[in-house]
Amino acid sequence: MSGVGKILKKCMGLGEMRFNTGGGNINWYPGHMAAATRAINARLKLADLVIELRDSRIPLSSANQDLQPRLSYKPRVIALNKKDLANPNIMHKWVDYFDSCKQDCLPINAHSRTSVQKLLELVELKLKEKIAKEPTVLVMVVGVPNVGKSALINCMHQIASSRFPVQEKKKRAKVGPLPGVTQDIAGFKIAQRPSIYVLDTPGVLVPTISDIETGLKLALAGSVKDSVVGEERIAQYLLAVLNTRQTPLHWRNVHNNTLKELQNEIDDKRDYNIKDLLPKTRTLPVASNVHYVEGVAKEVQCALSSTLSEFRGDLQDENELEMLIEKQFEALQKALKISNRANEARMMVSKKFLTLFRAGKLGPFILDDVPVVTSKLRISYNSDDPFLCHF
């Protein structure tokens, strides 16, 4: 557990909390996941290659450790999805890290045909010998919930349709903003000669996540439903990460002139009611909506940078960090124009704040730290150090 995790364990009152299947503080493991995990394990034996989809913001935390021993014996490509939300200055270090572990890795955006096309080219390259020998090839896509598997499958469909227009109509996978949309294993044909089938699997997590910070990262990325962990707890974790990294001070330096201008204009702006930061319908955003959300994001950045710059305490002290986070909740409530009289105002603040982060409006982030690769890599699995190379 990192320093942030140890501080959070105290200042957030987490105690000995665990993400587990048997009740306790957090019981998050749905029944369908156990069945899906068994089905995935059974079908892994038939797969010629596995695309393991992970979240670019949490390249390690978004790996299902229970599947790693089995995946290590299969040809595999680790696709780091949502690269548009990840810090590009750090992303290349992760690619170098996986390369040092002799593991193929490619950052992608599952909604970009160009990006997915590069992934398919890498898959075909790894299957070149297999394709030459076998008339049918099976590729399996696995990953934690809400990592973008169904979006990837649909993009593969679009590419396959343009390459093989005579193919029969293919069923599209369901795509949703919440984890758990896909609950059954479904096969999709994406190529004719040779016949290449892709299995879209449900997102599954391990039954028990013993590390609190890993569980909070998964919740922050949306792989665990907010209602299970609690929006306020997730928002507290995000604030603790931003503060210990001093990210708001970076915002102040980058947007100094803009933030000062916004600070002067905040009181003059008309009141508005924030029901949703993003449109619910799948319509193209109009310019006013885009500017509106960007304005809200900058006001949030201004609020957090001001509170952190005025802070004179020790960020490594859990009590002082807790007091700072309390002040920041108050500042966020003002920035988001949420009335003190509103019921569950703190919950509303947390939801809006998390929405901004997840949409990338607060900037690109990578929450996991790049591991230091030792000169002698040990690729054996054990519970205390699952894959020294952290596949």
Side-chain angles (χ1 to χ4, degrees):
M1 183 184 299
S2 73
V4 175
K6 292 177 181 178
I7 294 172
L8 284 169
K9 194 171 182 179
K10 295 181 180 180
C11 77
M12 291 171 58
L14 298 179
E16 295 302 319
M17 182 195 77
R18 293 291 184 270
F19 294 75
N20 57 66
T21 60
N25 292 52
I26 294 183
N27 182 11
W28 59 270
Y29 195 70
H32 76 270
M33 276 195 189
T37 299
R38 291 192 295 269
I40 290 172
N41 286 327
R43 285 163 175 78
L44 270 175
K45 301 175 183 177
L46 305 175
D48 296 297
L49 180 140
V50 176
I51 297 175
E52 185 186 2
L53 206 60
R54 300 187 187 181
D55 193 314
S56 288
R57 297 166 294 179
I58 45 175
L60 292 186
S61 299
S62 57
N64 184 319
Q65 293 297 342
D66 280 2
L67 293 178
Q68 297 308 306
R70 298 171 183 84
L71 295 179
S72 64
Y73 294 104
K74 285 285 182 182
R76 170 176 54 165
V77 173
I78 294 179
L80 299 177
N81 191 29
K82 306 182 183 182
K83 70 173 186 178
D84 52 312
L85 301 178
N87 189 333
N89 296 323
I90 302 176
M91 193 76 262
H92 72 91
K93 296 181 181 179
W94 277 102
V95 175
D96 293 342
Y97 164 73
F98 283 111
D99 183 62
S100 70
C101 296
K102 310 301 180 184
Q103 171 61 56
D104 291 296
C105 170
L106 184 68
I108 68 165
N109 179 351
H111 295 283
S112 166
R113 289 188 59 171
T114 301
S115 184
V116 174
Q117 180 62 50
K118 292 180 180 178
L119 174 61
L120 289 177
E121 290 171 359
L122 178 58
V123 168
E124 291 177 356
L125 178 63
K126 290 184 68 67
L127 289 173
K128 187 175 181 180
E129 294 183 5
K130 189 75 176 180
I131 289 174
K133 298 177 182 178
E134 303 290 340
T136 302
V137 177
L138 180 63
V139 176
M140 177 179 275
V141 179
V142 300
V144 299
N146 203 32
V147 77
K149 295 181 299 299
S150 295
L152 175 61
I153 292 290
N154 288 336
C155 194
M156 286 180 174
H157 283 177
Q158 296 174 9
I159 295 173
S161 297
S162 62
R163 293 173 61 185
F164 310 102
V166 297
Q167 287 191 83
E168 64 274 15
K169 186 176 181 181
K170 297 173 289 298
K171 182 180 177 182
R172 292 176 61 85
K174 294 181 180 179
V175 179
L178 297 176
V181 173
T182 305
Q183 296 192 2
D184 298 309
I185 293 180
F188 303 90
K189 189 175 183 179
I190 64 169
Q192 286 272 49
R193 298 177 183 177
S195 295
I196 300 180
Y197 289 87
V198 174
L199 288 183
D200 180 23
T201 62
V204 293
L205 288 162
V206 294
T208 299
I209 301 176
S210 58
D211 181 68
I212 294 173
E213 192 171 5
T214 297
L216 288 170
K217 287 177 182 178
L218 287 166
L220 180 55
S223 292
V224 178
K225 291 181 179 180
D226 288 350
S227 58
V228 174
V229 181
E231 288 89 345
E232 184 177 338
R233 179 178 284 164
I234 303 172
Q236 285 178 315
Y237 171 70
L238 177 54
L239 286 171
V241 171
L242 295 176
N243 289 325
T244 54
R245 293 185 178 188
Q246 298 191 341
T247 302
L249 298 183
H250 170 72
W251 291 336
R252 183 189 61 182
N253 294 333
V254 173
H255 304 293
N256 192 39
N257 293 333
T258 304
L259 292 174
K260 286 182 179 179
E261 182 179 343
L262 280 171
Q263 191 68 39
N264 294 331
E265 293 178 357
I266 286 176
D267 294 334
D268 298 328
K269 283 187 176 181
R270 62 183 179 85
D271 291 335
Y272 50 82
N273 180 25
I274 305 178
K275 293 183 178 180
D276 287 304
L277 292 171
L278 296 175
K280 291 183 179 180
T281 57
R282 284 177 165 262
T283 56
L284 291 175
V286 297
S288 59
N289 289 338
V290 173
H291 293 315
Y292 169 73
V293 174
E294 289 178 350
V296 173
K298 288 180 179 178
E299 290 181 15
V300 166
Q301 290 177 330
C302 178
L304 296 183
S305 63
S306 297
T307 51
L308 182 56
S309 62
E310 295 169 359
F311 179 67
R312 295 296 179 266
D314 182 3
L315 290 173
Q316 299 304 314
D317 183 286
E318 63 269 15
N319 294 323
E320 294 185 3
L321 177 60
E322 183 178 13
M323 289 189 291
L324 172 61
I325 290 175
E326 285 300 314
K327 290 183 179 179
Q328 289 178 324
F329 262 101
E330 295 175 2
L332 286 173
Q333 185 172 341
K334 293 179 181 179
L336 294 170
K337 298 292 190 295
I338 296 175
S339 172
N340 288 324
R341 293 172 294 178
N343 292 329
E344 299 183 344
R346 201 174 177 91
M347 176 72 73
M348 295 169 64
V349 169
S350 300
K351 287 183 176 181
K352 307 303 181 185
F353 182 46
L354 293 175
T355 300
L356 286 172
F357 172 82
R358 290 166 177 165
K361 300 305 179 182
L362 300 180
F365 290 89
I366 295 183
L367 300 174
D368 283 338
D369 295 325
V370 182
V372 177
V373 180
T374 58
S375 57
K376 184 178 180 181
L377 295 179
R378 177 165 52 87
I379 315 297
S380 60
Y381 179 85
N382 64 71
S383 59
D384 295 325
D385 186 11
F387 288 89
L388 186 61
C389 212
H390 296 281
F391 285 171

